[in-house]
Amino acid sequence: MDPLTADTFALYAVGFSGLLLAGFVKGVIGMGLPLVALPVLAYMMPVPEAITVLSLPVVLSNLVQAFQGGHFLGVLKRFWPVMLSLVLGVLLGVQLLVSLDPQLLYLLLGIAITGMALLTLSSPRFTLKPSQERPVGLGVCFGAGVLGGVSNLPGPRLRSISWPCASKRLSSSAPSRSSF
């Protein structure tokens, strides 16, 4: 085992600080862990390894969120087709992750992070009728799954379609239109 040098310690400190900041952002706004942590980790290690390192914290923090609010089974029953679409997209995305040229992967990661940040900052608003949720959701979740498999960044767009729809409709019995 190599001794811990000042440079190695500084690198670990930066990585730990990036993960800590990412966890803080996730705790405050409910999303953003990979969006903040991935660029920091990609500075320290190859992108595929950074994505792998982030996988467990992202999954665990998302599971905690999934069970908050008391509507988990209702959301699962309503959105299982789009969740399946997400899983299929992740499988394709992971296949791309392991087969893409690393330079292309860095470029795609940069575009994805910039795009997610711009979309989050601009907060576009769309309105869907309940009959449109499933077809739009299938496409958005498949795309989010591919993006998640390649970069571990499906959260902001996926949350924008699933969370508002589920929280509005499951909290009241009256029909409503989903806005995101």
Side-chain angles (χ1 to χ4, degrees), residues 78-99:
R78 181 168 174 204
F79 290 107
W80 74 265
V82 292
M83 290 178 190
L84 179 61
S85 176
L86 175 76
V87 169
L88 295 174
V90 167
L91 294 174
L92 175 62
V94 168
Q95 197 62 25
L96 291 172
L97 173 67
V98 298
S99 63

Side-chain angles (χ1 to χ4, degrees), residues 111-130:
I111 291 169
I113 289 172
T114 303
M116 290 294 186
L118 290 174
L119 282 172
T120 301
L121 286 173
S122 67
S123 298
R125 290 280 198 212
F126 304 98
T127 301
L128 291 177
K129 295 176 185 171

Side-chain angles (χ1 to χ4, degrees), residues 1-5 8 12:
M1 183 174 192
D2 293 333
L4 185 63
T5 65
T8 306
Y12 285 139

